Amino acid sequence: MVGAETKELWSGTSSELFTLTYGALVTQLCKDYENDEDVNKQLDKMGYNIGVRLIEDFLARSNVGRCHDFRETADVIAKVAFKMYLGITPSITNWSPAGDEFSLILENNPLVDFVELPDNHSSLIYSNLLCGVLRGALEMVQMAVEAKFVQDTLKGDGVTEIRMRFIRRIEDNLPAGEE
Amino acid sequence: MADPVLFEFLHTEMVAELWAQDPDPGPGGQKTSLLVLEGMGFRVGQALGERLPRETLAFREELDILKFLCKDLWVAVFHKQMDSLRTNHQDNSFPLLVRMASGLQYLEEAPKFLAFTCGLLRGTLSTLGVKSLVTASVAALPACKFQVVIQKP
């Protein structure tokens, strides 16, 4: 009765553990904060804190070298990072003429598998943690970026779209004499 | 399929977030935060339990349920084996010994990281029809002991 069969049953479980825990977190934040904007900010901040540590894990496991430009960065984010952590490969579209902005299009967002936004949370950006993660991770490799959701299947859009914008390169500014 | 490290990173950040937020840094505030974490774990555990097909729920004894939880759910969720399930339980109390992740360095931090997991166990048991109280204690890291006490109606 238990054993090999149940291993198959549970094979998706660690993935579900993450998405269910994320859902519980968003629910808790909605209780703790009075408005959606504050929840969005908190998700972004938590995502940032995760991102600055996740990048170490990513670099250790992925063997990607330094990216030479934002286009390479986009490829690595979509084809390596998203694939490794969320098992999906978003497509990259809508490059700005200057090459400093692009969109990640997610046909399926694994975070929202069992989620429906309740009516009184229309400003909630449910997956905002992702934007923080992207921002935090890229900051650790010397890139200041902005990431934001511009389309969301939870809100009735056909796809989920994250707009990424390169702000500037971060130079290491160490005072003289410090290592 | 979400990579397992995502849960670990998220859990760590959730613990940090709850502690930072609490206006009461003393034992009262800590207790609230632990309860919140445990409650979240409970809801997640319930949802995980609901995903089991009904056939697997035809357990006859609580010990079978706990063995199932130990061997299969624990490995699937945490990718680690539980070290042992002592079957010489007393009354309805079952101790489970686990080697926890190496990230726990300080004994006083341990309860924060165990609260969610206690709730998770309690929630899954609840869906399987078993009402319980789950607590955890750390005598010596990295091993910690979960105590599952079955509540008889």
Side-chain angles (χ1 to χ4, degrees):
Chain A
M1 179 176 32
V2 296
E5 289 165 327
T6 44
K7 284 209 173 23
E8 260 179 42
L9 290 174
W10 286 112
S11 65
T13 303
S14 73
S15 180
E16 291 186 340
L17 179 64
F18 173 69
T19 55
L20 287 170
T21 303
Y22 185 72
L25 169 68
V26 177
T27 303
Q28 187 62 40
L29 289 177
C30 287
K31 284 190 196 144
D32 292 343
Y33 293 94
E34 283 178 3
N35 61 66
D36 290 347
E37 258 318 300
D38 287 340
V39 176
N40 295 337
K41 282 198 190 108
Q42 204 57 35
L43 286 172
D44 179 77
K45 180 183 143 211
M46 291 177 74
Y48 176 86
N49 292 339
I50 290 173
V52 301
R53 286 177 288 123
L54 192 71
I55 186 72
E56 299 281 343
D57 181 82
F58 175 70
L59 292 174
R61 287 163 60 185
S62 67
N63 273 328
V64 298
R66 182 167 285 283
C67 291
H68 295 101
D69 57 32
F70 207 41
R71 278 183 189 267
E72 267 190 62
T73 306
D75 273 349
V76 169
I77 292 172
K79 296 173 189 163
V80 189
F82 265 86
K83 184 102 178 81
M84 182 186 296
Y85 290 111
L86 290 173
I88 56 169
T89 307
S91 43
I92 301 167
T93 65
N94 288 350
W95 277 101
S96 62
D100 62 346
E101 282 191 42
F102 67 91
S103 287
L104 290 164
I105 308 284
L106 286 68
E107 307 274 327
N108 299 306
N109 178 357
L111 288 182
V112 309
D113 273 342
F114 312 106
V115 173
E116 271 177 33
L117 275 186
D119 287 333
N120 54 341
H121 286 287
S122 50
S123 306
L124 179 67
I125 308 172
Y126 182 84
S127 308
N128 213 31
L129 192 97
L130 285 183
C131 294
V133 172
L134 287 165
R135 190 167 61 85
L138 288 170
E139 189 174 300
M140 291 297 109
V141 288
Q142 271 68 54
M143 273 181 270
V145 302
E146 181 194 54
K148 62 178 186 208
F149 280 90
V150 295
Q151 287 195 78
D152 194 344
T153 50
L154 271 187
K155 297 189 175 168
D157 296 318
V159 292
T160 297
E161 180 182 350
I162 301 175
R163 189 80 185 145
M164 301 282 304
R165 182 170 74 88
F166 179 81
I167 299 173
R168 61 183 165 82
R169 184 143 224 103
I170 302 171
E171 305 299 336
D172 290 326
N173 288 320
L174 295 174
E178 220 174 65
E179 302 230 282
Chain B
M1 190 62 187
D3 188 280
V5 302
L6 287 185
F7 171 72
E8 288 175 32
F9 276 103
L10 183 64
H11 183 216
T12 303
E13 187 53 31
M14 274 163 48
V15 170
E17 152 74 9
L18 272 177
W19 250 258
Q21 240 193 69
D22 209 301
D24 176 3
Q30 273 198 33
K31 192 151 177 263
T32 311
S33 302
L34 288 174
L35 280 175
V36 168
L37 279 168
E38 207 270 355
M40 289 170 69
F42 180 77
R43 282 195 295 282
V44 174
Q46 276 186 311
L48 281 178
E50 272 159 22
R51 277 151 177 73
L52 289 178
R54 294 287 122 176
E55 309 89 74
T56 58
L57 305 183
F59 295 103
R60 267 181 244 108
E61 288 176 25
E62 282 106 15
L63 192 57
D64 284 339
I65 299 178
L66 284 171
K67 280 182 182 165
F68 161 72
L69 276 183
C70 291
K71 289 209 171 72
D72 298 331
L73 170 57
W74 202 264
V75 169
V77 166
F78 296 107
H79 299 261
K80 299 177 181 60
Q81 293 282 351
M82 274 200 168
D83 270 355
S84 69
L85 167 62
R86 292 210 198 112
T87 53
N88 54 330
H89 56 281
Q90 284 187 343
D91 296 324
N92 296 304
S93 179
F94 302 84
L96 317 166
L97 273 181
V98 188
R99 294 197 88 72
M100 295 305 288
S102 53
L104 288 178
Q105 286 160 319
Y106 306 107
L107 217 56
E108 63 263 25
E109 298 285 295
K112 302 178 189 173
F113 289 90
L114 298 173
F116 184 89
T117 313
C118 288
L120 193 70
L121 269 176
R122 188 169 69 87
T124 308
L125 280 169
S126 158
T127 311
L128 297 177
V130 178
K131 199 152 177 263
S132 66
L133 261 180
V134 182
T135 53
S137 58
V138 186
L141 289 168
C144 86
K145 186 171 90 170
F146 288 90
Q147 195 83 18
V148 181
V149 179
I150 311 283
Q151 321 253 273
K152 291 297 194 185

